[in-house]
Amino acid sequence: MTTRLGADDAIGLEELRGLSLLHAQAQGIEPGAAQELLARITEPWGDRPRSWGRVWSAEGDRLTGQGLHLEASRHYAMARFPYPGDAPRQEAQRRCVAAFDTWRAEQGAGIERLEVPLEDGTAVCWTAGLSATDPKPLIVVMGGIVSVKEQWAPLLVHAEAFGVALAVTELPGVGENTVPYGPRSPRMLSAILDALSGRADVSRTAAIALSFGGHLALRCALVDSRLACVATVGAPLRLFFEDEAWQRQVPRTTLAALAHTTGVPPSLVFGYTRGWGLTDEELGALRIPVHYIAALRDEIVPLGEAAVLRRAAVPGEVTVLDDVHGAPAHLDHTRGLLLGAAVAAAAPATPGAVPEAA
C-alpha cells in the first residue's frame, strides 16, 4: 500500500487507546497488563522510545526472550495496531508473524501455513485439521480492517476437538495479505476454498467473519454456494456505506485503516466504498443462516444494520448486546455464539456440545 497515513492523519493517542482494548482482550492480554502498557505510551506514532510501536514491541521482545512466543506474537500484533503506518509498526508486523511461526513449530505438525496467490496479491492462512484421506468440514475465520490472523491461535489448536478443518486468514490489505481491499475482494475467500479443496470438505464451509470480514463473507456467499453459514459481529451491511451523516462521526482510526487497506486517500474512502452495501434483493437471495451480533453503542457500524438484516428475513439469528463495536465486554458470550453457529452449520451431524474456546 502506498497511501501515507498515521501521524499525518492525526489519529490521536486517546482514540488508539480506546479502540485497542478490544483487540488486546480478544487475544488474551489481561486488561490490567494492557492498561499498564498503554500508560507508558506518550506518542501514538513515530520511532521514539515511548511511542506506540516501541512500547508494545519492547514487551514482545521481553516475552520472546523468555521463550513465550505466542504471548510475544500477541504483543507485536498490538504494536502494529491499527496498521503498519510507521517503521516500528512495520517491524512489529514482521515480528508478529515470526513469533507465531516459532510457536507453531513448537506445537508439532498440526498447524500449517498456506499461501494463496491471486492476480493482484497473495492471501496467507494458518490452517489446522487438514487431511487428504479424511477431509473435514471447513471453518474459515477472518477479522476486519485491523485484525491479523495470528490472534486466532487458540482456535487452531482445537480443530480436532471441533471435528473440523480450520483456516484463519486476513481481510485484503491487512497483515500479510497483499491483495488490495476493494469490490473484487470476495473472490479471495473463494480462492482459499479452492486451495483447500481435497484436504478439507469445502462444500460445507462456515465463515466466522468479524466486522468488515462479515461483509466480505456475505458478498462471497451470494456467488459461492460452498458457504453454508456466516457468523459475524458488527458487520457493515448497507448503512455504513450509504449514510453520510454516520460517516462524518466514524472514528479517524477506522477511516485511516480503510484508506490503508484500499490504497485510497482518507478523503476519498467513502466515495470509493459507496455502492458496496447489500441491497434488499441481495440479502433476500441469501438462503444460508446468518448469525449477526450487534452492539447497542457501536461507534463504527450503525445499529440499524441489524434492522436491515431482519427486514430482509435472512435465515439465522440477530443478537443485540449492550456494548460497543465488537462487544468486548461480552467476549465469552460472542465466542460461544459464533463457534456454535459455525460448527453446527459446517458439521451438523457432529454430536455433543461445542468445546469451549481457549
Side-chain angles (χ1 to χ4, degrees):
M1 302 298 164
T2 57
T3 305
R4 187 179 179 188
L5 302 166
D8 291 342
D9 198 51
I11 301 172
L13 181 56
E14 289 309 308
E15 180 172 301
L16 285 178
R17 283 174 172 158
L19 293 175
S20 69
L21 284 174
L22 161 65
H23 299 278
Q25 291 176 44
Q27 294 180 82
I29 299 174
E30 291 295 327
Q35 292 281 15
E36 194 276 329
L37 286 169
L38 289 171
R40 297 184 201 171
I41 299 170
T42 59
E43 299 178 43
W45 301 89
D47 202 12
R48 293 162 70 94
R50 298 191 67 180
S51 68
W52 185 279
R54 289 297 178 208
V55 170
W56 281 104
S57 287
E59 183 64 9
D61 293 346
R62 186 185 71 82
L63 292 164
T64 297
Q66 296 179 358
L68 301 173
H69 300 291
L70 180 57
E71 291 82 356
S73 179
R74 292 167 173 166
H75 286 76
Y76 292 134
M78 293 306 303
R80 51 82 62 201
F81 179 88
Y83 51 82
D86 55 23
R89 284 174 165 87
Q90 292 163 13
E91 178 60 27
Q93 170 65 44
R94 290 188 287 270
R95 293 185 188 185
C96 175
V97 176
F100 183 93
D101 204 20
T102 301
W103 171 82
R104 172 184 73 101
E106 294 171 347
Q107 308 311 300
I111 301 173
E112 304 176 38
R113 181 180 173 89
L114 173 69
E115 297 186 7
V116 181
L118 288 91
E119 62 187 45
D120 52 355
T122 300
V124 182
C125 307
W126 297 114
T127 66
L130 302 181
S131 172
T133 58
D134 183 23
K136 298 289 195 302
L138 177 66
I139 296 178
V140 175
V141 185
M142 175 172 53
I145 54 176
V146 300
S147 300
V148 293
K149 62 191 179 301
E150 287 73 26
Q151 73 183 61
W152 299 104
L155 188 59
L156 288 167
V157 298
H158 288 293
E160 183 177 355
F162 293 148
V164 298
L166 285 164
V168 301
T169 192
E170 292 151 327
L171 197 76
V174 177
E176 290 192 280
N177 192 329
T178 60
V179 178
Y181 185 32
R184 300 179 64 200
S185 291
R187 68 196 169 87
M188 179 204 78
L189 190 49
S190 293
I192 289 172
L193 301 193
D194 293 342
L196 292 171
S197 180
R199 301 184 67 198
D201 180 6
V202 298
S203 67
R204 288 201 63 81
T205 296
I208 298 175
L210 311 184
S211 192
F212 289 85
H215 175 261
L216 183 149
L218 289 169
R219 278 255 169 243
C220 183
L222 288 171
V223 296
D224 194 329
S225 62
R226 294 174 294 183
L227 282 173
C229 166
V230 174
T232 185
V233 179
L237 300 177
R238 181 189 307 162
L239 303 179
F240 178 89
F241 302 110
E242 295 181 355
D243 187 337
E244 295 183 8
W246 180 266
Q247 291 166 0
R248 285 192 290 272
Q249 60 85 57
V250 166
R252 294 186 68 84
T253 301
T254 302
L255 181 61
L258 276 170
H260 177 78
T261 55
T262 59
V264 174
S267 62
L268 302 179
V269 160
F270 286 121
Y272 180 68
T273 61
R274 194 166 305 283
W276 288 17
L278 291 150
T279 66
D280 286 338
E281 291 75 19
E282 287 170 329
L283 289 171
L286 291 169
R287 294 292 181 263
I288 62 171
V290 176
H291 297 270
Y292 188 100
I293 301 173
L296 277 174
R297 294 174 282 115
D298 197 317
E299 71 279 29
I300 295 174
V301 173
L303 178 62
E305 302 288 30
V308 167
L309 196 64
R310 282 173 166 152
R311 285 197 302 270
V314 177
E317 297 182 3
V318 174
T319 302
V320 180
L321 301 173
D322 186 5
D323 211 332
V324 296
H325 185 71
H330 297 79
L331 283 177
D332 289 342
H333 184 43
T334 58
R335 283 170 178 158
L337 290 174
L338 296 170
L339 282 169
V343 171
T350 301
V354 177
E356 184 178 351

